[in-house]
Amino acid sequence: MPDSQNNIQSALEKFELMEQEGRVEFFDLSTFEDIIEHYFVNFNIKKALKACEVANSVYPFTSTIKVLQARILAFSGDYTNAFAAINEALQIAPTDFNVLFHKGSLHSIVGEVDKAISSFENALPYAENPADIYYNIGITLQSINEFEKAVEAFKKSIESDMSHENTIYELVDCSVQLHQTKELQDFLQKFVDNDPYNTDAWYNLGIYFSQIKEYDDALKAFEYAILIDDSFESAHMQIGHCYMNLKRYAEAFRGYLEALQHSDEPSAELYCHLGASAELMKDYNVGIRYFKKAIEADENYDEAWFGIGENHRLLGNHLEATHYLSKAVKLNKFYDEYWFSLALAEAALGNLVSSIEAFEESCRINPHRSKAWIEWSMVYYNENENEEAIKVLKRALEHLEENHSIHYRLAGYYMLSGKLKDAYKHIETALRLNYDAHTELVDFIPNNTVKKILESAIQSFRKK
C-alpha cells in the first residue's frame, strides 16, 4: 500500500477512535481535508459532515473546510445550510477563487442564474484558468436555454484554453440548437489558419465535425492533429470513435489500439472501446480479454462486466454470461440493455423464473424496445403457454401501438391458439403499418396454413 494510502487509513482510524471516545484531537488542515474527502467520495455523508464540524471547531477561520462542507450539504440537498457555509467562507476569504467559484456553482444548481454568473465573474480575476469560469457561465446560461449567450461564453473558454475539452462539446450543442454550425466551423477554422501546427485547434475542429456526423472530415482533422503529435491519445481515441460510427470496426479497433499504445495509464473506458469493436467484428474472445482489462482498471465499471457477459452469451457460454451480467445489473440497475441480455442468457439456461424477472425489469425501464417484449413472449411460447405470450404482447401494445412486429407476432400466437378473427385483426393492422414486413409472420410459423391465411388477409387488405 502506498504511503499516502497508509497515511489516510491511519488518520481515519485515529479520527474514528476519537469520535468513539468523545474527544477532539488535533489534525493538520490537509489531513482533515483528506478525511472529509474520503467520506464524501464513499457517500458516507453523515461522517463527512461530522468531520467538517470537528475541523471547523479546530480551524474556525479557514475557508477550505467550509467550502467542502457547502459541497457536501449541496450534494445532500440541504441548500440553505450549504449557502450558510459558503457565505461564512466568503467572509473569511472574500477574494478566494474556490469560495467564489463554489458560490457560483451553488447559485447555478438552485437556478439563480444571475447570482451564479455574478459570482463566477467575481472569481475571474483570481482564476488560474479562466476557461473553467467561462465554461461554467456557459453551462449556467445553457440550462435556461440562453443559447446565444452560452455560445459567447463557450467561445471565450476556447479562446482562453483550446485544450478545455468539455467546452467544445457544449459549444457544438448550442450552435446546433441555434442552427449556426457554419458560423462555428468558421470560428474554429480561424484557430487552425492562425496556427496550423496547433494540435488542439485541429482536435476541436475534429470534434465539431464528429458531433455533426461529418465523420470523414472529422477523421482528416484528427489525423492532422496526430501528424503534429503522434502521442496525442485523445485524437487516436476519437479516430476510433469515427470509424465505429462509420461501422468500419477493424479500423476502429486499430485507432483504439493506437490510443492504448500512447496511454500512460489506460482507462477502463478505452479498454471497453477495444472490447466493443472486437465484439462487433464477432471476435468475442478478444472482446472478453479487453473487457477484463477494463475491470482490472476499474472493478466497478459496469460496462466492462456487461461486455464480458454479452460476449460469453454470444459465444453460447450462458452460465458464464449470467455471472458477469448479474454483476453488471448490480452495479447499474437502470440500464435496460443489461437486464435484456441477462434475460436472454437465463432463458437459454432454462431458468424461466429468473428470465421472466429480468425481461420484466428490462421492459419496465424501457417499454419501447419491441425486441425485448417479443423475446419475453417467446419464453412462454416455448413452454406452450400461448395465452401468457399473448398477454405479454398486449402489454407491449400499450407502449408500442404502432409497431408492426408486435402485431405480426400477436397474429401468429392467435393463429396457434385457433383465434383466427383476432389474428386477422392484427395482420391487417400490421399490413397497414409495414406491408413488406409480412414475411416476419411466415418466418415465425412457416407452414402452408399460415401462408394461405396471410395471402387471404393481404388480398382483403389490397381491396380496401
Side-chain angles (χ1 to χ4, degrees), residues 166-184:
N166 290 334
T167 301
I168 185 64
Y169 291 99
E170 303 303 334
L171 181 52
V172 174
D173 184 52
C174 285
S175 297
V176 168
Q177 293 284 346
L178 294 168
H179 306 289
Q180 294 179 355
T181 52
K182 183 60 173 68
E183 291 88 336
L184 177 56

Side-chain angles (χ1 to χ4, degrees), residues 66-96:
K66 290 177 173 57
V67 170
L68 267 173
Q69 187 178 17
R71 283 173 53 206
I72 297 163
L73 288 164
F75 178 81
S76 59
D78 187 354
Y79 298 115
T80 300
N81 285 317
F83 274 111
I86 205 73
N87 285 330
E88 285 180 23
L90 193 63
Q91 288 178 347
I92 295 167
T95 60
D96 184 275

Side-chain angles (χ1 to χ4, degrees), residues 26-29 32 54-63 65-66:
F26 177 82
F27 291 95
D28 62 50
L29 185 59
F32 265 127
V54 174
N56 277 324
S57 70
V58 176
Y59 297 100
F61 303 109
T62 301
S63 63
I65 299 296
K66 290 177 173 57

Side-chain angles (χ1 to χ4, degrees), residues 97-115:
F97 170 78
N98 282 324
V99 176
L100 292 164
F101 179 81
H102 285 292
K103 184 173 171 63
S105 297
L106 261 179
H107 284 301
S108 183
I109 289 168
V110 299
E112 295 175 350
V113 172
D114 290 342
K115 290 180 179 179

Side-chain angles (χ1 to χ4, degrees), residues 376-406:
W376 182 3
S377 74
M378 284 293 290
V379 173
Y380 290 115
Y381 168 74
N382 290 331
E383 294 296 305
N384 296 314
E385 295 183 28
N386 287 348
E387 287 303 315
E388 292 300 318
I390 288 168
K391 285 179 185 177
V392 168
L393 293 193
K394 286 176 78 172
R395 282 179 60 187
L397 286 179
E398 294 172 13
H399 308 280
L400 295 161
E401 187 180 358
E402 299 291 298
N403 185 279
H404 66 271
S405 293
I406 301 289

Side-chain angles (χ1 to χ4, degrees), residues 253 273-284 286-287 290 311:
F253 185 84
H273 286 310
L274 280 158
S277 51
E279 177 186 327
L280 288 164
M281 291 188 288
K282 303 189 187 312
D283 202 339
Y284 304 126
V286 172
Y290 280 108
N311 278 265

